[in-house]
Amino acid sequence: VLIIGAGAAGCRAAIEANEYGIDNIIMVSKGPFGKSGNTNLACVVYSASMRHTNTRDSPEAHFKDTVVEGRYLGNQKLIEILVREAPKTVWDLERYGMKWSKYKDGRFYQLPAPGHSYDRGVHCGPPPEQKGAGFRVRELGIALQACLCREVKRHQSITILDDIFCTNLLTNKGQVVGATCIDIKTGKFFAIQAKSTILATGGAGLIYEMNDMFTGSTGDAMAMAYRAGAELIDMEMHQFFPTAYVYPEYVKGRIVRSSSLWVLGLKLYNAKGERFMERYYIDYQRFRSTPEHVPRDMLSRAIYTEIIEGRGTKHGGVWYDATDIKGYEPPKTRKVLGIDPYRFEVAPACHFTIGGVRITERAETSLNGLYACGEVCGGLHGANRLAGNALAECLVFGAIAGKNAAIRAFSTDLPEIDKEQLDAERERVFKLRRQKSADGIRPVALKRKMQKLMWEKAGLVRDAVGLKQTMEILDTMMAEDLPKLVIADVDRCNFEWIETLEMENLLTIAEMTVRSALMREESRGAHYRLDFRETDNTNWLVNIVITKSKNDRMHLSTIPAVLTKMRPQER
Amino acid sequence: LKSKRLKVKILRYDPEKDKEAKYQTFEIPTEGTVFVLKALNYIYENIDPTLAYRRHLCLGAWDSDTANLCRACLMLINGKPRYACSTIVEGDEITLEPLRGYEVIRDLVVDFNKTKIR
């Protein structure tokens, strides 16, 4: 079994496959094992309806919240699995040595989170008796990754390969038989042969200029799966977090912590000093005390509109004002870095890739021998993701993918690798280093250019004209700029080479995003079209599926959304 | 804030080509507060594309008292092990070396799996 990606999903899949008796597991990681990836950056809560803090909670309520927040686009069969298995994964992690926050009597201390109807977020901050509990939450991600790393190391037959970049999947007669990789440390090219391959690489937030993701989140596995012929789903959906720093430059893209501040009386001003949310949410006084207390997608969109229409600050943000919040103690780090702790500039940032590789309830993709789990797969969250559901998804589907990959590995023989394909891939990869051109472009420059373009034209607010323009520019980038990239010809640690390969993947993801966004002529959750502002439940309760057609072009089609239990009510 | 010049002294070494490690000094313009990793990014993007360092900047939940780091960018900054992504440059000169006790792959990148026996 080959596992690509060593975050939460990858580790869980490796453990599960090993416990099913597979003793030849290779897990590859793009950075150092346990020291890279988005899991480390995960914030606060892990959603599971444990019924420990609020006994009225139930998996059914969790199901309902996820479906409604996903605007009925999520695959309800997958959501059912998620809510059913999430409490079990909490106990699994407990057994792996995770120190969850608990009451004295041993019940889990669960926190409320936006979008959840009951207190559902298991976390590992201070226990409820301690002062400041519930506000001073410690980061969950880093603890989770450390705990999973320890558990993986206890399973000694899991081979971990650090600093490996996977370039492509190898296929033979319609099934995936392994992957080609580059060892970043030495620059050597090699192939890994496997009976089953699990993708667990995470999202593709780097297609946008403003993102809060780890610099390696370039959607490599999504692009690889696409090239190998797998189906991708919901690629127009990218979730944005409303408030991330934009200035000073050195903290750009980092999230301003705690969305609870929006509820407590945070104020947002544009460059003119206008409290602009009053304009977007006119009748707020009937329901809420502040106009800023709105869901993530609405707040992001309002801030973005202000910036794009020229009412933003000179660094491209809006003012975040926390001076009026009673009893608010800002983190000390802000002062150290010379930022006014109460007033600074913020803008939305890409937070999560909702779309991805389409999976079944058994975590299989549309290709034989290929499995996917975690952020890399799509279709689960629908049009918006709830807080804490991402980590739960990684653990739940990681286990499912690990199990099914193990079962498949038992029942098949090791397939042959197609030598021609291997040579072609080697040629493709090494050709990049020999490219020479008079007006050469650095991959960094091209990346910046694409990120800016995507952010302005295909970000939070989209329209047909802008998307068509973007598509044209992306086409020229792919046709003209990619062959012009000039990179250093070094073997060891040639990060520029890797960046070029990532760049190709990013452009593929960007194209998918733009094409699907252009196709979906409505607004729903994270996807907002200026020319189609309404949610259209009669025509667009469908998922957009992307496959590669025979002439190497993207083929888009729609399938009806899987609605097994809940249907949207007509208003 | 007036822009000033910052001298970055980096210990560079490629085990395949070089006999021994050598220091190379880069001069870059800076403005305001600078993280070490941002200075390295500047050198990589504008001066020397062959510079090797763990450039995965974690843009995570930095905004809290317990910093959340991926811990990959650990290196010796002015002789002390520090995270490049969250260390602020002080003064107008800085020395960067790879972490000691591990095998150096190239420049500032070390192999966390291979500890050197001293």
Side-chain angles (χ1 to χ4, degrees):
Chain A
V1 178
L2 166 66
I3 297 160
I4 304 172
C11 287
R12 186 68 187 88
I15 293 166
E16 190 74 9
N18 188 250
E19 287 178 356
Y20 269 88
I22 302 290
D23 49 8
N24 195 353
I25 298 168
I26 297 175
M27 180 157 63
V28 301
S29 159
K30 196 151 89 173
F33 175 60
K35 290 189 172 64
S36 58
N38 271 329
T39 304
N40 273 324
L41 312 181
C43 287
V44 181
V45 291
Y46 184 104
S47 293
S49 51
M50 306 288 291
R51 282 179 268 194
H52 279 198
T53 298
N54 193 330
T55 45
R56 281 185 300 167
D57 195 8
S58 64
E60 287 75 35
H62 191 182
F63 177 83
K64 196 176 156 214
D65 288 342
T66 311
V67 172
V68 172
E69 272 296 305
R71 312 293 196 279
Y72 296 92
L73 207 59
N75 184 332
Q76 296 190 3
K77 283 184 190 165
L78 297 181
I79 298 174
E80 221 182 306
I81 296 174
L82 174 81
V83 299
R84 197 178 60 214
E85 310 256 317
K88 184 183 174 294
T89 56
V90 175
W91 286 110
D92 276 348
L93 286 167
E94 166 100 4
R95 279 190 283 271
Y96 297 163
M98 186 88 179
K99 288 188 178 64
W100 296 110
S101 175
K102 285 183 183 174
Y103 289 100
K104 275 193 185 121
D105 56 1
R107 285 178 299 137
F108 287 98
Y109 173 37
Q110 293 175 283
L111 289 176
H116 290 285
S117 12
Y118 302 107
D119 297 357
R120 196 173 283 150
V122 192
H123 68 113
C124 50
E129 300 84 26
Q130 210 168 308
K131 194 174 151 262
F135 286 97
R136 279 207 192 141
V137 253
R138 211 165 294 141
E139 279 76 13
L140 173 62
I142 207 158
L144 185 71
Q145 178 79 68
C147 151
L148 282 167
C149 285
R150 276 199 305 275
E151 188 64 19
V152 164
K153 281 182 181 159
R154 287 212 306 157
H155 293 72
Q156 291 190 345
S157 49
I158 301 174
T159 313
I160 305 154
L161 297 178
D162 275 356
D163 296 301
I164 304 289
F165 179 80
C166 283
T167 62
N168 240 337
L169 293 170
L170 289 167
T171 51
N172 196 354
K173 295 185 193 111
Q175 61 170 325
V176 174
V177 296
T180 50
C181 317
I182 294 172
D183 187 344
I184 302 175
K185 282 180 206 144
T186 55
K188 288 206 175 71
F189 178 86
F190 63 99
I192 298 173
Q193 212 176 344
K195 290 178 186 170
S196 30
T197 307
I198 302 175
L199 304 176
T201 53
L206 259 79
I207 59 169
Y208 292 110
E209 187 187 3
M210 282 291 290
N211 66 76
D212 60 13
M213 287 198 193
F214 177 69
T215 330
S217 316
T218 48
D220 299 329
M222 292 180 197
M224 282 192 308
Y226 164 75
R227 287 197 292 262
E231 290 178 347
L232 282 94
I233 194 167
D234 287 347
M235 288 306 291
E236 70 276 27
M237 301 296 181
H238 289 268
Q239 194 189 36
F240 288 82
F241 195 86
T243 52
Y245 293 90
V246 279
Y247 186 80
E249 181 63 34
Y250 49 85
V251 287
K252 191 169 176 174
R254 297 184 179 205
I255 298 182
V256 181
R257 283 298 299 283
S258 189
S259 39
S260 59
L261 291 183
W262 316 342
V263 186
L264 295 173
L266 155 80
K267 288 179 183 142
L268 293 168
Y269 297 99
N270 63 17
K272 291 180 188 164
E274 179 194 6
R275 199 168 167 194
F276 60 88
M277 279 311 290
E278 287 174 348
R279 194 149 32 79
Y280 290 88
Y281 193 10
I282 299 161
D283 53 350
Y284 72 92
Q285 272 148 338
R286 278 172 54 205
F287 308 102
R288 310 258 155 91
S289 55
T290 64
E292 278 87 2
H293 182 190
V294 291
R296 270 184 196 180
D297 53 338
M298 242 174 107
L299 192 59
S300 310
R301 206 172 299 129
I303 298 175
Y304 181 82
T305 314
E306 286 299 303
I307 298 166
I308 285 291
E309 289 178 358
R311 289 187 293 275
T313 59
K314 72 174 175 193
H315 303 110
V318 294
W319 288 105
Y320 184 103
D321 196 327
T323 24
D324 292 348
I325 303 175
K326 268 187 203 132
Y328 173 54
E329 280 178 45
K332 291 179 199 96
T333 32
R334 278 186 203 158
K335 215 170 217 168
V336 177
L337 297 172
I339 304 168
D340 183 343
Y342 293 100
R343 196 179 156 86
F344 41 86
E345 292 163 58
V346 294
C350 184
H351 189 56
F352 186 82
T353 312
I354 301 173
V357 184
R358 188 179 169 202
I359 57 165
T360 65
E361 297 92 90
R362 287 156 50 84
E364 300 154 328
T365 66
S366 51
L367 293 174
N368 277 335
L370 186 66
Y371 299 82
C373 51
E375 195 180 347
V376 70
C377 51
L380 170 68
H381 301 293
N384 200 2
R385 176 177 69 85
L386 274 183
N389 268 4
L391 285 176
E393 176 197 5
C394 287
L395 274 285
V396 169
F397 284 92
I400 295 173
K403 179 185 168 187
N404 290 317
I407 293 172
R408 188 190 143 85
F410 272 125
S411 59
T412 48
D413 295 324
L414 197 62
E416 288 288 307
I417 280 182
D418 184 356
K419 283 270 156 46
E420 262 173 51
Q421 206 180 11
L422 190 62
D423 291 338
E425 180 62 17
R426 179 183 290 129
E427 178 59 26
R428 179 185 85 96
V429 169
F430 280 94
K431 208 182 101 203
L432 294 172
R433 269 172 45 181
R434 295 193 301 266
Q435 262 170 196
K436 288 211 168 58
S437 131
D439 49 347
I441 311 169
R442 294 277 309 273
V444 185
L446 183 59
K447 192 152 131 190
R448 292 277 147 79
K449 201 168 130 192
M450 184 204 65
Q451 287 177 333
K452 196 159 188 296
L453 173 77
M454 289 296 289
W455 175 246
E456 280 166 5
K457 295 282 170 61
L460 284 139
V461 177
R462 302 152 172 178
D463 64 16
V465 184
L467 287 171
K468 275 179 191 148
Q469 277 174 2
T470 317
M471 202 56 247
E472 277 167 29
I473 304 175
L474 284 178
D475 277 338
T476 27
M477 277 186 187
M478 265 179 273
E480 290 171 20
D481 291 352
L482 269 184
K484 274 193 209 163
L485 291 180
V486 174
I487 53 174
D489 193 6
V490 192
D491 273 342
R492 285 185 166 233
C493 289
N494 194 339
F495 288 115
E496 202 171 27
W497 185 24
I498 305 301
E499 202 167 9
T500 313
L501 290 162
E502 284 176 352
M503 196 57 224
E504 282 179 24
N505 295 341
L506 278 175
L507 278 172
T508 315
I509 307 291
E511 188 186 342
M512 287 180 193
T513 306
V514 174
R515 280 193 195 278
S516 334
L518 197 56
M519 187 171 180
R520 184 174 282 278
E521 293 181 333
E522 62 149 0
S523 293
R524 187 184 290 273
H527 171 73
Y528 189 81
R529 285 279 296 263
L530 269 181
D531 36 1
F532 299 93
R533 289 170 191 252
E534 298 296 317
T535 304
D536 180 357
N537 278 336
T538 27
N539 299 319
W540 283 105
L541 213 56
V542 292
N543 298 106
I544 298 176
V545 173
I546 302 178
T547 44
K548 194 168 84 167
S549 67
K550 277 185 185 126
N551 51 0
D552 263 8
R553 296 189 69 96
M554 278 179 198
H555 175 73
L556 277 72
S557 55
T558 55
I559 51 156
V562 182
L563 307 163
T564 49
K565 283 191 172 168
M566 280 177 74
R567 297 193 68 84
Q569 268 136 27
E570 296 300 325
R571 278 177 217 165
Chain B
L1 271 166
K2 270 245 172 126
S3 69
K4 49 181 189 179
R5 312 287 292 178
L6 172 72
K7 270 186 194 158
V8 187
K9 204 167 140 192
I10 300 171
L11 188 64
R12 304 198 60 178
Y13 177 52
D14 184 343
E16 277 176 4
K17 289 177 190 160
D18 306 335
K19 269 186 192 154
E20 56 183 21
K22 268 187 299 219
Y23 284 101
Q24 188 178 357
T25 310
F26 297 93
E27 232 186 69
I28 60 164
T30 59
E31 202 181 317
T33 323
V34 182
F35 282 116
V36 173
L37 199 66
K38 291 276 175 175
L40 286 170
N41 279 349
Y42 185 88
I43 298 172
Y44 168 76
E45 280 172 31
N46 298 296
I47 307 172
D48 188 351
T50 63
L51 180 70
Y53 60 99
R54 299 253 182 226
R55 66 199 164 83
H56 286 315
L57 174 62
C58 34
L59 294 161
W62 152 85
D63 193 19
S64 79
D65 284 338
T66 50
N68 198 6
L69 310 164
C70 70
R71 318 187 294 290
C73 57
L74 199 59
M75 58 177 74
L76 289 187
I77 298 171
N78 289 337
K80 284 175 189 152
R82 293 277 182 275
Y83 297 112
C85 65
S86 58
T87 306
I88 301 164
V89 179
E90 279 161 15
D92 51 7
E93 204 181 317
I94 190 163
T95 312
L96 306 177
E97 290 162 19
L99 205 60
R100 281 198 199 124
Y102 295 100
E103 202 177 288
V104 178
I105 302 167
R106 195 161 73 83
D107 297 350
L108 298 173
V109 181
V110 295
D111 191 336
F112 286 105
N113 292 329
K114 288 179 188 161
T115 36
K116 243 194 307 199
I117 300 151
R118 276 184 286 177

